Amino acid sequence: MRIFSGIRPTGDLHLGNYLGAIKQWIPLQQINECVFCIVDLHAITTPYDPKKLQKNILETTAIYLAAGINPEKSIIFVQSQIKEHAELAWLLETITPMGELKRMTQFKEKSEQHKDYINAGLLNYPVLMAADVLLYKGEAVPVGKDQEQHIELMRSLAKKFNQKFGQTFKEPESLILKEGSKIMSLTDPKKKMSKSDEPKSCIFLFDAPEDITKKIMSATTDSGKDIKYNITKKSGISNLLTIYSLLSGKTTQELEKEFKGKNYGEFKKSLAEVVVNYLEPFRRKQKELASREAYIQEILKKGQDRAQIIAKATMQEVKEKMGLV
Ligand code: AQP
């Protein structure tokens, strides 16, 4: 299968980005043809600093590599370097109903979050995302739960295009994990963990061990003292149990048994140790890669060359079908 996924270079990546998306990319590349993009054109739909964008792109690429994406197997590249993404997005916009875009939860949330930056790019974000995947004839998209609605739109656009202009695209499926597809904020477990939220709400992949411990020890928990998974009544402790389970390989039931009779403090202390140890190789690899900018640039250039061949062929076919050539 051809797999496509991407991440916005909007700052340091957190445990949610890793557990919801990147972690499932690693095994997928063993038997599939994977295309992993750094989606900078999406990053500029919310407030950003142009002076930091290139640095964020390099850091996001370094995280892909540190997490285990193999550039010999998978294509890694920067979205804006392939102009066909924006071109196909425009063509798909002409078959996208406005009402569908306005209904998107992410558009509503981000408009609420950035009231003075509600731009047409933010509204059209899901169409660009559809173009990202369809340009490579992607068949599956490993993402977190927050992207499910966007994939639904992508499927309906693929179907509509095929009906209108002839069979061209497969309808991509979302690959959403059962566990970890929505890691919640440490300070407000009703909200998802988000890069643009306050730093103490996120565990960043390159956080120093003392920061990780501090953030976990002060994470919002619920009244009561049992370490029990109950997403509605105990969302804070349930979120921490999910993180513990995914990083340790133990089930939540095993963890409930292990921490029976223990208090939140003891549980959090143990979780902090698990997280610090799990992320140790990330910190080490990031330090190694930080001084290897030329190497990262070379990977991105090779990825771009490979991506360009596929993108060009799809655009030619799309333009022919739409009567543009
Ligand atoms: N909290 C989360 N739990 C599980 N998966 C998550 N993802 C994001 N947050 C969580 C998944 O990570 C991938 C990349 O996301 P993105 O950076 O492209 O966009 P985002 O969803 O907008 O991420 P953030 O962290 O919330 O960033 P900001 O604050 O900049 O908007 C996607 O697969 C996403 O599902």
Side-chain angles (χ1 to χ4, degrees):
M1 271 207 298
R2 179 152 313 142
I3 308 277
F4 184 99
S5 197
I7 289 191
R8 305 195 317 145
T10 44
D12 296 339
L13 299 200
H14 53 72
L15 219 41
N17 299 132
Y18 175 71
L19 293 174
I22 303 177
K23 195 170 173 238
Q24 52 165 337
W25 298 359
I26 316 302
L28 283 170
Q29 56 179 354
Q30 301 313 325
I31 50 159
N32 299 286
E33 191 185 353
C34 292
V35 184
F36 297 123
C37 189
I38 289 100
V39 288
D40 54 346
L41 295 176
H42 287 284
I44 61 174
T45 58
T46 44
Y48 77 104
D49 180 354
K51 292 195 196 83
K52 287 193 187 148
L53 189 53
Q54 289 307 313
K55 182 174 160 279
N56 285 343
I57 289 172
L58 290 177
E59 282 178 5
T60 305
T61 314
I63 291 172
Y64 286 12
L65 300 173
I69 304 297
N70 179 352
E72 299 299 323
K73 279 201 162 126
S74 302
I75 298 179
I76 307 176
F77 73 104
V78 180
Q79 182 190 29
S80 64
Q81 299 309 305
I82 305 283
K83 63 179 174 30
E84 284 83 355
H85 286 254
E87 197 178 0
L88 182 58
W90 175 257
L91 301 182
L92 293 177
E93 273 168 36
T94 64
I95 58 163
T96 307
M98 278 288 287
E100 299 236 1
L101 295 178
K102 285 187 181 158
R103 269 211 310 274
M104 293 288 151
T105 309
Q106 183 172 294
F107 173 66
K108 288 187 200 158
E109 282 176 359
K110 296 239 189 283
S111 304
E112 189 56 34
Q113 200 182 351
H114 309 288
K115 286 200 173 74
D116 51 357
Y117 207 82
I118 307 173
N119 57 81
L122 188 61
L123 180 72
N124 292 331
Y125 184 114
V127 190
L128 178 59
M129 187 170 155
D132 294 338
V133 178
L134 299 181
L135 193 54
Y136 300 94
K137 304 220 171 160
E139 293 158 83
V141 193
V143 279
K145 185 132 187 71
D146 58 334
Q147 298 298 327
E148 200 168 23
Q149 208 182 14
H150 293 168
I151 311 275
E152 272 313 305
L153 178 74
M154 185 185 294
R155 290 170 61 81
S156 86
L157 290 181
K159 193 171 175 186
K160 201 163 173 183
F161 187 98
N162 292 342
Q163 280 166 350
K164 224 169 151 60
F165 303 110
Q167 183 61 37
T168 309
F169 301 117
K170 294 207 172 124
E171 290 176 39
E173 278 177 37
S174 54
L175 299 178
I176 297 177
L177 294 169
K178 248 182 154 170
E179 304 276 350
S181 65
K182 195 169 186 187
I183 299 294
M184 309 310 274
S185 150
L186 295 183
T187 50
D188 179 358
K190 299 273 176 223
K191 277 193 333 199
K192 76 160 191 150
M193 191 177 277
S194 223
K195 290 184 217 96
S196 49
D197 205 347
E198 50 175 0
K200 63 179 182 175
S201 69
C202 287
I203 295 170
F204 295 109
L205 298 180
F206 301 145
D207 266 346
E210 54 278 17
D211 292 332
I212 295 175
T213 306
K214 230 187 271 167
K215 288 179 187 183
I216 292 177
M217 294 311 289
S218 61
T220 302
T221 37
D222 333 83
S223 55
K225 47 186 175 19
D226 294 340
I227 318 294
K228 275 238 158 269
Y229 189 91
N230 184 330
I231 202 69
T232 41
K233 292 195 182 134
K234 289 167 84 73
S235 52
I237 212 74
S238 301
N239 187 39
L240 298 183
L241 271 167
T242 301
I243 296 174
Y244 201 135
S245 163
L246 291 169
L247 298 187
S248 67
K250 296 177 186 171
T251 64
T252 45
Q253 290 86 339
E254 282 167 348
L255 291 168
E256 283 173 351
K257 249 192 218 159
E258 188 177 328
F259 287 96
K260 196 160 189 252
K262 301 211 169 129
N263 60 33
Y264 286 172
E266 289 167 293
F267 170 71
K268 284 175 166 180
K269 201 163 160 250
S270 173
L271 171 62
E273 268 173 34
V274 167
V275 177
V276 166
N277 289 337
Y278 192 94
L279 293 182
E280 201 279 323
F282 285 79
R283 285 189 296 279
R284 194 167 18 88
K285 283 189 201 144
Q286 187 226 12
K287 273 193 199 132
E288 272 166 43
L289 289 165
S291 57
R292 301 185 65 194
E293 187 183 325
Y295 167 70
I296 294 178
Q297 296 282 18
E298 196 185 306
I299 286 173
L300 290 174
K301 178 70 182 74
K302 277 195 188 142
Q304 179 187 335
D305 292 344
R306 288 166 71 192
Q308 184 66 74
I309 296 168
I310 309 171
K312 208 171 162 190
T314 307
M315 269 319 288
Q316 180 63 26
E317 184 186 353
V318 165
K319 282 178 156 176
E320 276 168 19
K321 292 209 164 120
M322 289 184 80
L324 290 163
V325 283

